[in-house]
Amino acid sequence: MTSTVITGISSLTTNDPAHDRGRSGILEDAWIVVDDVSGLVIDVGTGPAPEADERRDVGGRAVIPGFVDSHTHLVFGGDRSAEFAARMAGAPYAAGGIATTVAATTAATTDDLTCRTRELWQRARRGGTTTVEIKSGYALDAAGEERLLQIAGDVTEERTYLGAHVVPVSYAGRTDDYVHLVCGEMLRRCAPYARWIDAFCEVGAFDAEQCRAVLEAGAAAGLGGRLHANQLGPGPGVQLAVEMGCASADHCTYLTDDDIAALASGTTVATFLPATDFSTRQPYPDARRAIDAGVTVALASNCNPGSSFTTSMSFVIALAVRDLRMTIDEAIWAATAGGAAALRRTDVGRLAPGSRADVVVLDAPAPIHLVYRPGEPLIDTVVVAGSS
Ligand code: NIG
């Protein structure tokens, strides 16, 4: 075994409740020892650091676990900057814009899509993201959805089949027929390349019964459920996600008291995507009310060309603290351990003995600098499974 000890850590967020400051487990004047062969954390602590084969002093910088970005649509062609500009001039966001990206993605070659996806992933990695989920949903036919999931496999095992993103133009007025395809042939082709199934439960996309059918078909094929819920208005999505035991209900921009009560009593994580609300000029979700009611919360980028074209989890955290009124400890937890919970993972999102050594060194003495100095490149070093 060879090992590395990282020393000189001003503030180490472990997300291990065995340590101080509740579930964030923050240690000051800390060190962390990594097994270079397995890529796992061996130990963390404070005060004099133990011996190891290699020693690296980070000079009073803060260290946090790598971000777990549990909601992205990274595989796509084209861009929709004109749609964004129109929104800034007053146009509303509508689900229909997805069709523009479906056309551009369908026209793109597999090589082009693979290159772009890798570029976006490299960008996300440089920004501190060490685990990412990627959805399909920009093809809307069986072969195309399968292709997008195969491309996503170049970057992550956390792949989500989102055939039920919107109804394609070729099925206009025949939503039930399209749901039949999503639950039948398309699912058969996509399930081998996916861990999760998702649907967009919204007016203009799919209603609760159609989403239920998609989630049930996915479960029968061995896929875990997640749901785009309550993004553009109040609706049945959140409560359906909880009822169906989904790992996550995503967006949650419009939450009623009953939605919050359901989330608090179930096992479904509420994943907030505030860069979307920023980019679409929607209201921000009431994260404070959800957290205070005991809901488990994640933060994710929702990187996609229509509603949120950013991979930056630092930006998401800044919005969460400033506009969703989360504390910095809550926001860092939600962007790391919360994302892991939304993917039902226990090996990432924390820095504790046995967890994967996904380590982000900030060019700052404390995580609050991510909010205090928004837009500054404060991600100093990113280590994934012990390697940088
Ligand atoms: O999560 N809401 C549905 N899907 C994406 C938007 C995709 C798009 O506009 O292209 C979302 O915001």
Side-chain angles (χ1 to χ4, degrees):
M1 178 175 88
T2 60
S3 58
T4 299
V5 61
I6 304 171
T7 63
I9 304 172
S10 55
S11 157
L12 172 63
T13 302
T14 65
N15 290 336
D16 181 349
H19 303 299
D20 294 342
R21 287 211 357 222
R23 62 183 186 169
S24 295
I26 294 173
L27 302 177
E28 275 149 26
D29 184 22
W31 47 262
I32 175 167
V33 185
V34 174
D35 178 344
D36 300 325
V37 177
S38 67
L40 302 179
V41 173
I42 298 173
D43 203 3
V44 302
T46 59
E51 290 304 315
D53 300 301
E54 302 283 335
R55 208 173 175 86
R56 171 149 187 251
D57 188 333
V58 297
R61 291 179 169 82
V63 166
I64 59 176
F67 298 127
V68 180
D69 189 350
S70 60
H71 184 135
T72 81
H73 306 249
L74 279 197
V75 190
F76 61 84
D79 86 55
R80 285 165 39 208
S81 49
E83 191 187 301
F84 176 78
R87 274 206 302 279
M88 294 306 103
Y93 173 78
I98 293 169
T100 308
T101 301
V102 170
T105 305
T106 303
T109 66
T110 299
D111 279 353
D112 283 348
L113 291 173
T114 303
C115 278
R116 276 187 78 151
T117 305
R118 282 186 191 151
E119 270 171 29
L120 284 169
W121 170 231
Q122 289 310 322
R123 193 177 283 274
R125 276 269 295 253
R126 286 197 298 275
T129 297
T130 51
T131 303
V132 70
E133 178 266 11
I134 300 180
K135 300 174 198 301
S136 66
Y138 286 131
L140 310 182
D141 64 52
E145 289 292 306
E146 181 185 26
R147 177 172 81 130
L148 300 187
L149 289 166
Q150 287 170 335
I151 292 168
D154 195 45
V155 164
T156 186
E157 285 307 306
E158 297 292 351
R159 289 176 284 175
T160 301
Y161 164 48
L162 180 58
H165 201 181
V166 285
V167 178
V169 179
S170 54
Y171 277 80
R174 296 188 295 131
T175 304
D176 284 336
D177 291 346
Y178 182 64
V179 170
H180 188 70
L181 174 67
V182 167
C183 298
E185 190 208 335
M186 201 187 282
L187 174 62
R188 273 193 296 284
R189 289 187 70 153
C190 290
Y193 305 102
R195 181 172 178 227
W196 304 99
I197 190 162
D198 194 347
F200 186 12
C201 190
E202 198 74 50
V203 174
F206 300 92
D207 67 24
E209 286 322 301
Q210 291 158 346
C211 291
R212 181 192 297 279
V214 170
L215 292 171
E216 282 174 350
L223 304 182
R226 28 204 338 107
L227 208 57
H228 283 66
N230 302 43
Q231 175 183 0
L232 304 177
V238 164
Q239 293 188 49
L240 177 66
V242 175
E243 181 200 327
M244 299 293 291
C246 288
S248 180
D250 296 51
H251 286 283
C252 297
T253 303
Y254 294 88
L255 290 176
T256 64
D257 288 347
D258 286 347
D259 295 333
I260 288 183
L263 285 164
S265 67
T267 57
T268 302
V269 172
T271 299
F272 295 125
L273 310 168
T276 315
D277 308 306
F278 173 88
S279 174
T280 58
R281 284 229 167 106
Q282 292 253 118
Y284 288 104
D286 194 346
R288 213 33 299 131
R289 196 158 57 103
I291 292 169
D292 291 346
V295 174
T296 301
V297 161
L299 288 167
S301 73
N302 188 23
C303 182
N304 77 79
S307 67
S308 180
F309 199 174
T310 181
T311 58
S312 174
M313 291 295 282
S314 297
F315 175 57
V316 169
I317 286 166
L319 292 175
V321 172
R322 186 192 179 279
D323 294 312
L324 275 61
R325 301 190 183 279
M326 293 168 69
T327 67
I328 184 64
D329 289 358
E330 287 168 344
I332 296 288
W333 191 94
T336 54
L343 294 172
R344 302 223 159 128
R345 297 272 297 266
T346 54
D347 58 326
V348 294
R350 65 199 179 99
L351 292 171
S355 67
R356 203 167 79 184
D358 292 351
V359 177
V360 171
V361 182
L362 301 180
D363 194 6
I368 189 64
H369 281 244
L370 294 174
V371 187
Y372 172 49
R373 299 165 64 194
E376 293 291 329
L378 296 181
I379 306 298
D380 179 89
T381 307
V382 182
V383 173
V384 182
S387 305
S388 46

